[in-house]
Amino acid sequence: MFETFRNAWKIEDLRKKLLYTLLVIVIFRLGCAIPVPFIAPEALQGWVAGQSGSMLGYIDMLTGGSFSRATLFALSVTPYINASIIIQLLTVAIPALERLSKEGEDGRKKLTRITRYTGAGIALALGIGYYFLLRGQGALVYGSGAQMFAQVFSAIVVILAFTAGSLLIQWLGEQIDVKGIGNGISILIFAGIVSRWTSIFTTIKTWLGLAAGGEVKYYFLIPVLVVLAVAVVVFIVILNAAERRIPVQYAKRVVGRKMYGGQSTHIPIKVNMSGVMPVIFASALASIPGTIGGFFPNLYNPDLHPFAAPFLGMFSTNGWVYAAIYLLLIIAFNYFYVAMQYNPVEIANNLRNNNGTIPGYRPGKPTSDFITKVLGKITFIGALFLGVVAVMPIVLGNVTGENISLGGTSLLIVVGVALDTSRSLESYMLMRHHKGFLE
């Protein structure tokens, strides 16, 4: 991968694209440091830090810490991601959107426009919700004791600032798609997550006794964590590239004086075909009890709530019950996501209409049954892979008794974005250096 970046830097066009992408990342990080007016974020940071296992902690991870600091880009790409997921789900359920997805470039442009408007609406709703969260935590300069005009004016400014910041990030991501390298939204998420990894060095300093309150008794954990991190990265790279190839044979047919078909090819089915989407869905669902408990801390008091307190305690992000539920949800959502993306009956019909067959299986239902069986096995392997990577930090934290800052979700996203960007560079260089038939 590093060799790819070094070779890309030697090409002028690619160098301009890389510099443009870096410029957008710098603008993104500057926006993550600009505070929104009328907010005192100190009152919020400590509270969000205690919500590491809730949905708010997950949003803070995706935003690179901007959420807890209440900066201009506090909502980051969360509204756009939610809008993309919603439109993708509705494309399967609503026939009009399904027709748009099959109309080629014009249909995709219309779906992109619909996604933008949906993202703007979600950003406005999240901005309003975030304002009331800040108000509840006493993080507003003009609180309940201020005049009515000051409260209304500050509310409008804060909500519009959060909404505008989210829309600006969406625009910056689209600019990377057009003038830069890689997927813009993914690269901005990558930059936000990597910016939070400085906490790893703080943890290492604490283990080595170099920080205040650190105890020198964790020397052996550092090489173990390094080896595990490298092994997980290698594991992610291998599984992302792994695929099951179903052989396909096309029959020969004569059209006029020409013969078509007769070639052999394959249908590639990736082991990790759903990416990190099942992990995102599962973490959002599994963190709902913790999020509710964060808003109502009295629920953790066993004297006041003898039923709710032990129930919420089961969903502690460091507990074994949470890890088991998290793993099961990842597997379930992976099957759900793959079922939305792949339709074995449609694949079998397309093969039959194009005179293609899978050797050893008759066209029609036997072919679709075989594809369904293969998809089931591959989906389980991919789901198990995602679950192991996501749950490993929880298991390691329980074994060592320490909080492991390097989460499996963030590692999956970072490695996946790095691989996709590297492939984009390789494809661009291949297209640039491909020799035509006249050369």
Side-chain angles (χ1 to χ4, degrees), residues 403-424:
N403 183 23
I404 307 299
S405 303
L406 190 62
T409 306
S410 59
L411 200 59
L412 279 168
I413 295 174
V414 167
V415 175
V417 173
L419 290 175
D420 290 340
T421 306
S422 178
R423 291 192 198 100
S424 299

Side-chain angles (χ1 to χ4, degrees), residues 32-260:
C32 292
I34 299 175
V36 171
F38 310 124
I39 291 178
E42 296 81 10
L44 183 70
Q45 289 181 359
W47 184 76
V48 174
Q51 305 293 317
S52 59
S54 67
M55 196 179 301
L56 300 180
Y58 180 74
I59 294 176
D60 193 46
M61 182 269 291
L62 285 181
T63 59
S66 301
F67 184 81
S68 60
R69 297 194 300 270
T71 62
L72 182 63
F73 290 164
L75 299 181
S76 190
V77 298
T78 305
Y80 182 79
I81 292 175
N82 292 336
S84 301
I85 294 173
I86 291 172
I87 297 300
Q88 191 174 14
L89 292 174
L90 291 179
T91 301
V92 181
I94 300 178
L97 294 179
E98 186 178 2
R99 287 194 297 270
L100 282 178
S101 64
K102 297 179 180 180
E103 288 181 0
E105 188 65 26
D106 292 338
R108 282 192 293 270
K109 288 181 179 179
K110 292 179 181 178
L111 281 177
T112 302
R113 194 178 304 117
I114 294 172
T115 304
R116 289 174 186 164
Y117 293 147
T118 306
I122 294 176
L124 180 60
L126 289 178
I128 295 173
Y130 193 25
Y131 167 78
F132 283 105
L133 174 63
L134 293 169
R135 183 177 178 179
Q137 296 301 317
L140 296 176
V141 174
Y142 295 103
S144 58
Q147 297 180 356
M148 180 63 67
F149 175 78
Q151 293 184 33
V152 173
F153 179 75
S154 63
I156 293 174
V157 171
V158 169
I159 292 171
L160 291 182
F162 287 143
T163 306
S166 177
L167 296 180
L168 178 58
I169 287 182
Q170 179 179 332
W171 181 79
L172 290 174
E174 292 176 352
Q175 295 306 304
I176 292 179
D177 293 337
V178 176
K179 302 177 183 178
I181 285 292
N183 184 282
I185 299 297
S186 299
I187 288 177
L188 295 181
I189 296 176
F190 175 92
I193 292 175
V194 170
S195 66
R196 292 288 303 275
W197 283 5
T198 53
S199 60
I200 299 175
F201 299 103
T202 304
T203 303
I204 292 176
K205 287 173 62 178
T206 303
W207 289 354
L208 294 178
L210 301 177
E215 300 182 18
V216 188
K217 60 178 182 179
Y218 294 115
Y219 279 122
F220 72 96
L221 284 180
I222 296 177
V224 171
L225 287 179
V226 171
V227 172
L228 281 176
V230 173
V232 170
V233 170
V234 173
F235 188 50
I236 293 173
V237 172
I238 293 174
L239 265 294
N240 275 331
E243 62 182 21
R244 166 74 156 87
R245 297 180 177 181
I246 300 178
V248 176
Q249 179 70 40
Y250 286 95
K252 296 181 180 180
R253 57 192 178 96
V254 178
V255 180
R257 295 184 178 181
K258 294 183 178 180
M259 180 176 294
Y260 296 92

